[in-house]
Each structure stands twice: as structure tokens, then as C-alpha cells.
């Protein structure tokens, strides 16, 4: 009887305790998302504001005229994630395998160091590096490696560079956390059973550090696909991404419903990998 | 026994100095021959270099100097994954993300064994350790003893030339440990694979091994069959580490080729065998006598004295009845106590001697050995 009462009270408490979290979710996530969805199916009125009647025009345009932007965004976000993974995993492993613990701490500190400067400022710095008269071009010209300045800025390459640079820590840190917990005796066990370095990595080390890899990929892919500062400052017209499209619709005399429709599409692009990630985590 | 399987020649392993410390000589000039088909145990206290030696054979550490040969082949520069040895790790190191079956298959896949043959071999390896029914489980769903068996199956399925086992039973409770000892021994005899077994449990080593290497401080002190090591320990450390021993210190006052006379600290003279010719050079010696080799007699009993018999007087101080035998602590002089074990047989069930009783303490000279301190 007493047990039944305490269970009841505990259930009750759990409900009560989850109220702030639920409230938070509703106010800051569900309500705005619903609002965006509703706006996205309304007509563009004067000054770009939404009006009735409901229409699916904006979705048609999103998948029609703007499909190149969509594709480019997905492609760039994918490449960014892939390159971050390719650089980030070895980097995390390298840091982990340093014998000296203070060396490890220092390396991690270096990884986080860029966060101490504003992202916008750092992106402007890339502009100065990559420009026609920028540091890189001037340097190569002075060495005689090139006779004419290269077009580095305002390319897809520049966007990719900027995104990889900006999001690499989001890849390195979760992978490091996984590799940190990884017990290197499993490497010995694998080698004892005849696995060379390649097999040891693919069959033992990677599967056991996969949670970190997945977390890193999600943490890079999601902000990368929605990026607008980097493509704006480094990409010019060639690096125009969804983020820029949305931003331009919401600013000045844009097209609010169109911006909302693009946002909804982007949101679904983000939610797919996110759910895949949560599902994979649920299995563990 | 037949040919040499593993040969260590003057192997040294020195770990570089950590901040402020001196470099550690974990293994200091070890030479060993381990024969084909042998169950070989490396026995010694914690930190004596057993694991390091095993890891050098497996290829996880490189010797600082010296040479290791397996099947006559020098192992210098041969990576762990190319050596014909497999290891059963102390904590098993089963891959947690694979099922038991996948764990056992792993080594076969690495060796590119044909799929079907690999499956058959993996299954029969699991049958050998009597666990075919858990093939689809994950390691964390197994008990310690089961994990231990899977680790064994995973290593043996590769049919290694030598199996290395680093305290594989350390994490098991006593009963399971005893069972596994017998099981391992049986398995080794049936398969005929050379086992190199590391333990710090002397009873375990003696139960299972054909030969034992007793180690301390990076050195091998003695190699031999269990009875050799028990009966003729090379020095005080070995005598102390293997089984229970009484040590009586004194001075060597006279000696022949084989035996000597030692004056104990309380002036008693006793006879004992020389363990080694070198002991005659050292004045200070210890005499080692096993507790079960000492006999007690009533003080007034008439004993026929022979050449080889030591007879001295003593007083029973403490009596411990422990079932199979009774343990007496007998004082034979100022501050010199002997432990004596008397087996409780059909004819001597009761406690024959009481505390404070005066007794005669007897032992045969051949059961006392003079060692250097
Ligand atoms: N990687 C290493 N770096 C530095 N010193 C080491 C290293 N590995 C072992 N040692 C030292 O070498 C010595 C022997 O270690 P080892 O692990 O071989 O002992 P062991 O006989 O296996 O002991 P235990 O019974 O406790 O397992 C110890 O003093 C240990 O501290
Ligand atoms: Mg050890």
C-alpha cells in the first residue's frame, strides 16, 4: 500500500518536474516551427508579408527555381562533414595517443582557441587571406609560383574551406571524447588475432568509437547546411546557399512565405540525419 | 621433451624513465627454453616482469636487447599480427560490439579462412568450451567464467603454435578457478599446444604446469618441474615463495661434500644438505625445512638414533586444527619457532599434542637444505 503510494507520488513528481522542459519546447521550438509552416503556405502580400489564401506556390519554386541552391547546399554540407571527418578523426586520435597528459590538454585547448574570437571576424580574416590582393596570392606571386592572382575568393572552394575551418572543432571534440574512452587493449587483442592496422581500425576501433563519429557528423552537417555568414562573405554568387536564400527573403522587401517554405524544406533536411542519429543511439 | 618452441636469449626490457624516475628494468637478462607441447608457467610476485615477458613473446613490446625465437625463427621486427602465437588476456578483451560468434570468427576472417570452414571451426571451438548456445550473445551478457572460456575459444580457434595466457583465471572465484584449472590442463593435453601461463598463484602453477619458471625482480631464479622446485629450491626466495617453509638462520661450522653442520642462533647444532656448493663460502646461512617433513614425538619416547636424524627438544606453543592436518607451532630455543604439520590419519585422528607440552622434534637431514640468505 505504502509502496503503491510512493510510486504514485513519484509518477506525479515526474510529471510536475517535466513541465518546465515541455514549456520550453513548446515556446521555443514547436510554436515557432508551426508558425513557419503556416506562413509557408500563405500568399505573398504587399511588402513581402504573408496573406491569405493558402497556396503551395512557394514549395513549387523552392524545388523548381531554387533546386540548384538546395543541391549545392546539401553537397557543400556533405563535403564539409566528410572533410571534417577525414581531418578530425586522425587529429583526435593523434591528440589521444600523446603520452604526456598536459600535451593532450594543450592540444585540446588549441582546438577550442578559435572560439574565443567572433566567427564573423574570423571569416573576414579568410577574406583577407583569399582575396585577389590577399596574403596567399601575394605570397605566391612574390615566390613566382603564379604569374596572375588566383580566383580563390567567391568560389565554392572558399565556402568549403571556411566551413571546414569553422566546424572542425565540432567534429574533433565528440570524436576525441569517444577515442578517449576507447581502451587500446582492444587494438592489441585485434592484432593478436592477426589484424593489421587497417583491419584493426575498420573492424575494432571505428565501430567502438562510432558514437563520437556520428555525433560529430550531426554537429557539423546541421550548421553547415544552414550556414549563411560563410557563403555570404566567402562564396559570392558561386557559393550561394539555402541560408543566404532564406536570409534574403526575410530581409527588406523579401518574400516571407517563400523564406518560410525554404526554411521548412531545410528543417526537414536537418531532421532526417538527426532522427537517423537518434535511432542509432537508441539501439546502443 | 622434444624441440624448443620458444627461446628467450638474454632478453632485457627497460622502460624509459618517467619524469624524475630512473628507467625501469622490468625484465633483466632472461634466458629460457620452452619446449613443444609443454605447459609452462611463469610464476612470481606482482611486478616481477611476467606480463612484460609475455608481451614481448606476443610482440606487443620489443626487447631492449636479447633475442626471442619462436619455432627457431627470430622474432625481431615481426609484428604481433604475424606471430604464430595467440593470447588470452587477463581481462579477456572480448570485442564488446561483436557477438560471441563474431568474436571467435574474427581471427579466422583475418587469416582469410574460407567462410564455411571458418564457421565450422568457430562453432567447434565454442563447443569445445561448452558454450555453443550463447554464440549470438554479446560479451556483456556473459558471466566472468563464460567470458573467460570465449577468450580461450577465440585464441584457440586460430590453432596457434603457442598460446599465451596472462593470469586468465585471476578474476574468477576460487571454485570456478579450480574447475577451469583442470579444464585448461585437459584441453592443453588434448590439443598438444604449447601453453605459456602467467600466474602469481603457486598452487595454480604447480597444479597445471609441466615446468615452472620462478621469477623475481626481472630475473628467472629457477626453472624446473614443480617437485624439483618444491624439493630443491635454488634459494631462499624460491623456498619461501613456493609452499610453506621454516627458515632457521645460523652459521655453517662444518661441511662435507653434500651436507653441513649449522649452529643456530641458540647454539643448537643441526645437520642439513648443501643446496649448492657455493654456500660453503658464506658464513651466514639459512636452513629451510618444510613443515610436513618434521615429526613430533612425545618427550619420553625412545627413539633409535640414526646418522641422518636430527633430534632436538621443543615445546608446543600453539595448536591449530585444520581438518586434513594439525599445525603446531613448536619453540626449539629462544625465539626460534618451527611450524610443524601433522596429517590427521586414521591412526592419528585426535590432537596428539597439547599446548605447552614438551616434545621431541625430528627431521631427516635430507629434508633440510642449507641456502644462502
Ligand atoms: N609500459 C610500462 N612503462 C613503464 N614501466 C612499466 C611498463 N610496463 C610495466 N612496467 C614496470 O615493469 C615492472 C614489471 O611489470 P609487469 O607488468 O611485467 O609485472 P607482472 O609480473 O606482470 O606483475 P603483476 O603480477 O602485478 O601483473 C613493474 O615494475 C612495472 O611497473
Ligand atoms: Mg601482469
Amino acid at each position: 500500500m505504502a509502496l503503491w503510494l510512493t510510486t504514485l507520488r513519484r509518477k506525479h513528481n515526474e510529471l510536475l518536474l517535466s513541465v518546465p522542459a515541455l514549456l520550453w519546447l513548446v515556446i521555443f521550438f514547436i510554436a515557432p516551427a508551426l508558425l513557419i509552416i503556416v506562413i509557408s503556405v500563405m500568399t505573398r502580400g504587399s511588402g513581402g508579408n504573408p496573406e491569405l489564401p493558402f497556396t503551395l506556390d512557394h514549395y513549387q519554386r523552392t524545388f523548381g527555381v531554387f533546386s540548384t541552391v538546395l543541391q549545392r547546399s546539401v553537397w557543400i554540407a556533405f563535403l564539409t562533414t566528410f572533410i571534417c571527418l577525414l581531418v578530425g578523426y586522425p587529429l583526435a586520435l593523434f591528440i589521444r595517443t600523446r603520452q604526456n597528459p598536459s600535451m593532450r590538454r594543450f592540444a585540446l585547448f588549441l582546438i577550442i582557441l578559435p572560439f574565443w574570437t567572433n566567427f564573423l571576424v574570423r571569416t573576414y580574416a579568410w577574406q583577407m587571406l583569399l582575396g585577389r590582393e590577399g596574403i596567399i596570392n601575394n605570397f605566391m606571386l612574390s615566390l613566382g609560383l603564379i604569374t596572375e592572382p588566383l580566383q580563390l575568393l567567391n568560389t565554392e572552394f572558399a565556402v568549403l574551406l571556411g566551413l571546414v575551418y569553422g566546424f572542425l572543432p565540432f567534429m574533433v571534440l565528440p570524436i576525441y571524447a569517444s577515442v578517449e574512452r576507447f581502451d587500446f587493449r582492444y587494438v592489441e587483442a585485434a592484432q593478436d588475432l592477426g589484424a593489421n592496422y587497417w583491419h584493426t581500425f575498420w573492424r575494432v576501433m571505428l565501430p567502438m568509437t562510432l558514437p563520437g563519429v556520428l555525433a560529430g557528423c550531426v554537429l557539423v552537417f546541421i550548421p553547415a547546411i544552414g550556414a549563411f555568414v560563410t557563403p555570404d562573405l566567402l562564396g559570392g554568387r558561386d557559393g550561394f546557399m539555402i541560408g543566404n536564400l532564406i536570409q534574403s527573403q526575410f530581409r527588406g522587401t523579401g518574400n516571407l512565405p517563400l523564406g518560410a517554405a525554404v526554411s521548412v524544406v531545410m528543417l526537414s533536411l536537418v531532421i532526417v540525419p538527426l532522427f537517423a542519429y537518434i535511432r542509432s543511439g537508441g539501439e546502443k | 621433451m622434444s624441440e624448443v618452441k620458444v627461446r628467450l636469449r638474454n632478453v632485457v626490457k627497460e622502460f624509459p624513465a618517467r619524469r624524475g624516475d630512473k628507467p625501469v628494468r622490468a625484465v633483466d637478462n632472461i634466458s629460457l627454453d620452452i619446449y613443444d607441447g609443454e605447459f609452462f608457467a611463469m610464476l612470481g610476485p606482482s611486478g616481477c616482469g611476467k606480463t612484460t615477458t609475455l608481451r614481448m613473446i606476443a610482440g606487443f613490446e620489443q626487447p631492449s636487447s636479447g633475442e626471442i625465437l619462436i619455432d627457431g625463427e627470430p622474432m625481431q621486427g615481426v609484428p604481433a599480427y604475424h606471430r604464430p602465437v595467440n593470447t588470452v588476456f587477463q581481462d579477456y578483451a572480448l570485442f564488446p560490439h561483436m557477438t560471441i560468434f563474431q568474436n571467435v570468427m574474427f581471427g579466422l576472417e583475418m587469416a582469410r579462412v574460407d567462410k564455411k570452414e571458418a564457421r565450422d571451426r568457430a562453432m567447434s571451438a565454442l563447443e569445445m568450451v561448452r558454450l555453443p548456445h550463447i554464440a549470438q550473445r554479446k560479451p556483456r551478457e556473459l558471466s566472468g567464467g563464460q567470458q573467460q572460456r570465449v577468450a580461450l575459444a577465440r585464441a584457440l580457434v586460430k590453432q596457434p603454435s603457442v598460446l599465451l595466457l596472462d593470469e586468465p583465471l585471476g578474476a574468477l572465484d576460487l571454485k570456478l578457478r579450480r574447475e577451469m584449472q583442470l579444464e585448461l590442463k585437459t584441453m592443453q593435453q588434448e590439443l598438444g599446444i604449447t601453453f605459456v601461463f602467467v600466474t602469481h598463484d603457486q598452487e595454480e602453477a604447480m597444479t597445471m604446469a609441466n615446468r615452472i619458471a620462478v621469477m623475481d625482480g626481472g630475473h628467472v631464479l629457477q626453472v624446473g618441474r614443480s617437485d624439483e622446485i618444491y624439493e630443491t629450491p635454488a634459494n631462499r626466495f624460491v623456498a619461501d615463495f613456493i609452499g610453506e617453509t621454516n627458515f632457521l638462520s645460523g652459521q655453517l661450522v662444518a661441511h662435507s661434500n653434500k651436507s653441513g653442520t649449522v649452529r643456530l642462533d641458540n647454539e643448537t647444532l643441526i645437520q642439513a644438505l648443501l643446496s649448492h656448493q657455493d654456500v660453503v663460502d658464506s658464513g651466514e646461512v639459512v636452513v629451510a625445512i618444510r613443515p610436513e617433513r618434521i615429526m613430533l614425538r612425545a618427550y619420553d619416547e625412545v627413539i633409535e638414533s640414526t646418522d641422518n636424524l636430527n633430534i632436538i627438544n621443543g615445546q608446543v606453543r600453539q595448536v591449530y586444527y585444520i581438518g586434513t592436518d594439525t599445525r603446531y607451532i613448536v619453540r626449539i630455543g629462544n625465539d626460534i619457532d618451527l611450524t610443524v604439520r601433522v596429517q590427521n590419519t586414521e591412526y592419528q585422528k585426535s590432537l596428539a599434542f597439547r599446548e605447552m607440552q614438551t616434545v621431541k622434534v625430528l627431521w631427516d637431514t635430507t629434508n633440510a637444505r642449507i641456502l644462502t640468505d
Side-chain angles (χ1 to χ4, degrees), chain B residues 233 235-236 239-240 244-254 259-265 268-275 279 283-291 294 310 312 332 336-339 363-373:
Chain B
N235 58 30
R236 180 178 181 148
D240 199 18
E244 207 182 344
T245 310
N246 291 294
F247 291 110
L248 303 170
S249 51
Q251 253 139 10
L252 189 63
V253 289
S259 62
T261 306
V262 175
R263 188 195 296 126
L264 300 185
D265 297 346
T268 314
L269 292 176
I270 60 171
Q271 306 287 322
L273 291 186
L274 299 175
S275 66
V279 297
E284 298 287 327
V285 293
V286 286
V287 178
I289 317 168
R290 301 286 183 190
I294 304 175
N310 284 279
I312 51 178
I332 57 165
I336 304 181
D337 286 341
L338 282 181
T339 304
W363 69 84
D364 199 280
T365 303
T366 53
N367 285 319
R369 295 175 57 80
I370 302 174
L371 308 168
T372 43
D373 203 355

Side-chain angles (χ1 to χ4, degrees), chain B residues 14 50 56 68 77 85 135 152 222 224 249 282 287 329 338-339 358:
Chain B
E14 200 165 71
K50 307 179 295 285
M56 285 192 285
I68 295 174
V85 301
L152 201 61
Q222 190 172 7
S249 51
S282 48
V287 178
I329 310 294
L338 282 181
T339 304
T358 317

Side-chain angles (χ1 to χ4, degrees), chain B residues 48-67:
Chain B
C48 71
K50 307 179 295 285
T51 298
T52 308
T53 309
L54 211 62
R55 288 170 57 81
M56 285 192 285
I57 300 175
F60 301 136
E61 306 277 5
Q62 302 310 316
S64 310
S65 68
E67 202 180 15

